[in-house]
Amino acid sequence: MTQKPKYVVLGGGTGSFPVLSGLKAHPVSITALVSMADDGGSTGALRDELGVLPPGDVRQCLLALSSAPGHMRELFNYRFEDGTLAGHSFGNLFLSALEKTTGNFGEAVRVSGELLRIRGRVLPITLDDVHLCLQLRDHTVLRGQRAIDDSSFCEDSPRPKLYLEPKGRIDAQADEALRDADVIIIAPGDIYTSLAPLLIVDGVAEALAASKATVVYVCNLVVKPGHTTGLTVAGHAAEIERLAGGGPIIDYVLYNTAEPPAALIEKYNKAGELMVTVDQAELSRAHYRSVGRSLVADSLPDVQKGDKLAEAGHRSFIRHNATAVAEAILDLPNPQQ
């Protein structure tokens, strides 16, 4: 039997979701490596109150790969609206309870994956209890993913320094997955609060540099106001490589060429979430190949009642089309050809 090509997806929860859910319809082996620095919303409350590792992004990746009946997926995604549990999702509580009973977050993720019948694997990038920090040019330090998310620093030059406290070491299974991959996909997501917490984990840059995999970066659809305002597609890719050690690791950049419906564009322009600019001259000089496709979803995702981060405007709702992204990735030739 021919071995399935091994696809590894690096990202947070929201950005990885369309990539994972699109890929699971194809005959490939999938491993999701998940950021472990989230400290907002339900996840942040559970970290503070129970001393557990962050379950939120892991939960979303498990659901993206799930083939369980609809009622089981709905249960894991259910968010309480009232009482002392208001704002918490059942899946987050379940993962945290499993971590407490097994004594190991990695085991909690594995058991949850069995229950949800996931097609593939979901692995934390690290099992260390890390917190994201960002240092500005004036040496001011912002501590915690939520504090960084709420701040504006795009006019600060040079680009901010990010680090983890403690440094955090790549999990052995995650390290093996990267080194053994055929294709590594860096999912869309907030560069400084979703992707950086993976890329700056000790050992990730070395694993990426040592891997013979084709590396594909799926660029964001919109800029994040105060963070990446003014960054082009090439600018986004350059920041990814800077955070991943500075070397030329990307082989392909996938970017969107379509516009969302006019009503959505107007809504997001008012919030400063402008579509990422495509500078063809810049891309033509890059060491990677750039491929433009229609990748934007036609409609907004449903907002769960009780999702405090969504209600506070901390989630972007212009999303990638899962089917289109997966097909675009699978259509890419070997960069050596």
Side-chain angles (χ1 to χ4, degrees), residues 24 61-73 76 109-121:
K24 78 175 180 181
C61 290
L62 288 168
L63 288 169
L65 292 175
S66 176
S67 61
H71 65 270
M72 184 61 70
R73 297 196 303 274
F76 252 73
V109 176
R110 186 192 67 77
V111 172
S112 298
E114 288 184 355
L115 188 66
L116 288 168
R117 302 180 190 176
I118 64 170
R119 184 164 178 266
R121 296 186 298 169

Side-chain angles (χ1 to χ4, degrees), residues 24 45 76 78 166 175 198 214 226 239 247 267:
K24 78 175 180 181
F76 252 73
Y78 175 75
D175 182 76
L198 290 126
T214 298
E239 276 296 89
K267 175 182 176 181

Side-chain angles (χ1 to χ4, degrees), residues 12-304:
T14 303
S16 290
F17 192 95
V19 179
L20 295 171
S21 57
L23 283 176
K24 78 175 180 181
H26 298 274
V28 298
S29 172
I30 306 169
T31 299
L33 301 184
V34 189
S35 169
M36 295 300 291
D38 190 4
D39 61 8
S42 168
T43 288
L46 291 171
R47 290 188 78 174
D48 291 343
E49 295 174 19
L50 302 180
V52 295
L53 292 176
D57 285 347
V58 165
R59 172 181 57 83
Q60 291 194 64
C61 290
L62 288 168
L63 288 169
L65 292 175
S66 176
S67 61
H71 65 270
M72 184 61 70
R73 297 196 303 274
E74 290 172 8
L75 174 63
F76 252 73
N77 213 28
Y78 175 75
R79 198 174 292 272
F80 294 89
E81 298 176 39
D82 306 300
T84 57
L85 294 179
H88 284 295
S89 77
F90 174 82
N92 287 357
L93 296 171
F94 185 84
L95 280 160
S96 296
L98 268 179
E99 180 183 352
K100 286 293 189 180
T101 56
T102 64
N104 184 291
F105 185 69
E107 180 66 4
V109 176
R110 186 192 67 77
V111 172
S112 298
E114 288 184 355
L115 188 66
L116 288 168
R117 302 180 190 176
I118 64 170
R119 184 164 178 266
R121 296 186 298 169
V122 175
L123 301 174
I125 192 67
T126 181
L127 290 173
D128 295 323
D129 187 16
V130 297
H131 292 270
L132 184 64
C133 299
L134 182 147
Q135 181 177 309
L136 299 173
R137 181 176 51 176
D138 65 1
H139 302 295
T140 298
V141 175
L142 305 174
R143 287 183 166 83
Q145 187 191 59
R146 183 53 53 214
I148 295 168
D149 193 59
D150 288 339
S151 300
S152 178
F153 47 82
C154 65
E155 295 181 0
D156 198 71
S157 184
R159 283 280 164 180
K161 174 184 177 182
L162 290 107
Y163 59 95
L164 297 171
E165 288 184 342
K167 289 180 67 175
R169 179 69 193 171
I170 187 173
D171 177 67
Q173 290 185 81
D175 182 76
E176 182 182 10
L178 286 172
R179 293 174 184 269
D180 197 37
D182 295 308
V183 178
I184 295 170
I185 302 160
I186 301 173
D190 292 342
I191 288 182
Y192 301 116
T193 54
S194 290
L195 299 178
L198 290 126
L199 298 172
I200 63 177
V201 168
D202 196 18
V204 169
E206 292 79 3
L208 286 169
S211 179
K212 292 182 171 57
T214 298
V215 178
V216 181
Y217 169 50
V218 182
C219 188
N220 293 351
L221 299 171
V222 296
V223 300
K224 182 171 177 62
H227 288 209
T228 57
T229 301
L231 276 191
T232 62
V233 170
H236 279 73
E239 276 296 89
I240 293 296
E241 292 191 325
R242 179 180 75 87
L243 292 166
I249 61 165
I250 296 174
D251 295 300
Y252 286 102
V253 170
L254 277 178
Y255 64 89
N256 174 58
T257 57
E259 286 196 354
L264 293 185
I265 288 285
E266 183 180 358
K267 175 182 176 181
Y268 280 87
N269 284 353
K270 287 180 179 177
E273 292 193 24
L274 307 175
M275 300 296 289
V276 176
T277 301
V278 179
D279 186 327
Q280 290 293 353
E282 226 182 341
L283 290 173
S284 68
R285 295 191 294 268
H287 61 85
Y288 49 76
R289 299 185 189 180
S290 54
V291 178
R293 292 282 188 89
S294 175
L295 300 177
V296 67
D298 292 331
S299 60
L300 288 172
D302 294 330
V303 178
Q304 282 185 290

